[in-house]
Amino acid sequence: MRLGKTKKSKTVDGNLLLHRRMIGLEQELYLDRRKCCGCGDCENLCPAEAVSSTEPVVDNGTVRKRVIVDVDPEECTFCGACAVVCPAKAIAWRENERTVPNVITKAILPALDEAIEVRAEDCRIECGLACESSCPVDAIEVETETGEDKERIAEVRIDREQCLYCGKCEPACPFDLIAVRSARSGVVSFRPEHCLPSCRACTEVCPTGALYVQDDRVRLEEAHCIYCRACAVVCPATEALEVRRERIRGLPLSSELWADYQGKLVSAAARIRLIRENAARKRERAFRTRID
């Protein structure tokens, strides 16, 4: 591969890999198409307009063809913005040994304000490893050991690069030892009376299982929704489902670009609110500068 030239390839399982090598610098962008929910956030946010996606095909209430995301190697700058905002954690970024994207290290975008805490020292084997079995992406691994003639929980490991912060593990824990904070907030308007008969398209793309089938009906557990809006992309009944993402919380950052970026990913009303909040911050800084 020529130095500085981005090479695009597909892995044996159909996933996408972009690779660029220069003197002293090696960069990779990996898209796991099995995890991709087709929400379109990467395409909406990409500052280089390097990301494109196909339209889904829904037939008789089933997703026949999922959204396929592609990245133009000639346009991609390896900024990593797509990896920061991907709600399904389908995109991984690497530069040499670093896995934190440049847009974070250069304070252009913040790390998302999301967390999961487990009081593992208080865990008891009687839970039946409920947190591990409830996780939709296998991000929780519980290690057990036998001591003093009985089995106990030795460690609870969380893969934070895979965790969707959907919170399904939190109510699953019978001893209330897990606390989850999601960066995304919003509102889902679900009107099942408008669903097409036997349609299950939304449940097929929901990455957390917040939309599921019970008693032959689609149901919603909004507490576990990460507001990715993948369901709305494939829903053939426009009146049945609406997802309004109101905010994506990031850790404190002085960059004004985050408000602009976030405005591309939230609802129209939330975008107006962000514009007003950003303008108010600018006026306050200008006022303080004059006083100082």
Side-chain angles (χ1 to χ4, degrees), residues 10-280:
K10 288 185 180 179
T11 63
V12 292
D13 46 8
N15 298 324
L16 184 65
L17 177 65
L18 265 63
H19 181 231
R20 180 166 67 181
R21 184 166 51 208
M22 294 176 280
I23 296 175
L25 181 66
E26 187 174 12
Q27 297 172 309
E28 280 188 355
L29 191 72
Y30 177 72
L31 170 62
D32 190 332
R33 284 177 168 155
R34 296 166 300 180
K35 294 181 181 179
C36 177
C37 61
C39 67
D41 281 359
C42 53
E43 183 176 8
N44 293 333
L45 188 70
C46 180
E49 298 183 356
V51 182
S52 60
S53 60
T54 63
E55 292 293 325
V57 176
V58 179
D59 182 39
N60 290 328
T62 298
V63 180
R64 301 298 181 185
K65 290 185 179 180
R66 295 174 68 103
V67 172
I68 298 177
V69 173
D70 199 8
V71 184
D72 186 343
E74 300 295 329
E75 300 296 335
C76 179
T77 62
F78 288 89
C79 70
C82 55
V84 174
V85 301
C86 178
K89 302 294 179 68
I91 304 176
W93 178 97
R94 181 180 69 83
E95 184 173 283
N96 293 344
E97 301 304 317
R98 294 191 300 109
T99 56
V100 178
N102 284 330
V103 286
I104 291 180
T105 57
K106 294 180 180 179
I108 298 172
L109 297 185
L112 297 190
D113 184 12
E114 52 194 9
I116 176 170
E117 302 295 335
V118 181
R119 301 204 312 272
E121 66 277 7
D122 296 325
C123 286
R124 288 142 59 185
I125 197 69
E126 292 83 3
C127 72
L129 313 188
C131 60
E132 183 179 79
S133 60
S134 67
C135 181
V137 291
D138 298 326
I140 303 178
E141 182 180 1
V142 181
E143 182 180 328
T144 61
E145 64 181 11
T146 302
E148 300 179 358
D149 298 325
K150 67 177 183 178
E151 192 176 23
R152 69 181 186 89
I153 293 176
E155 186 180 3
V156 179
R157 290 186 288 270
I158 309 293
D159 186 344
R160 287 172 169 77
E161 293 185 358
Q162 301 301 319
C163 180
L164 303 183
Y165 300 91
C166 64
K168 295 191 80 171
C169 56
E170 191 172 326
C173 177
F175 305 118
D176 195 26
L177 301 176
I178 303 177
V180 180
R181 183 176 70 251
S182 175
R184 296 169 176 84
S185 59
V187 178
V188 180
S189 177
F190 179 49
R191 296 177 289 273
E193 65 273 14
H194 293 293
C195 290
L196 300 182
S198 301
C199 181
R200 303 290 184 263
C202 59
T203 67
E204 294 174 8
V205 299
C206 180
T208 68
L211 284 158
Y212 60 98
V213 178
Q214 185 181 66
D215 299 329
D216 203 34
R217 292 186 62 187
V218 175
R219 301 181 186 274
L220 168 68
E221 188 69 41
E222 190 173 346
H224 306 315
C225 177
I226 57 174
Y227 305 99
C228 65
R229 300 183 295 191
C231 54
V233 173
V234 300
C235 180
T238 55
E239 295 182 347
L241 188 62
E242 181 185 3
V243 182
R244 298 190 303 275
R245 186 190 290 155
E246 298 302 313
R247 188 178 292 273
I248 304 176
R249 288 180 294 275
L251 297 177
L253 183 70
S254 59
S255 171
E256 295 179 0
L257 287 175
W258 173 229
D260 295 335
Y261 275 102
Q262 190 178 169
K264 299 178 181 179
L265 303 174
V266 296
S267 66
R271 189 178 305 120
I272 293 173
R273 187 191 67 244
L274 285 170
I275 292 171
R276 290 173 177 171
E277 289 176 357
N278 200 25

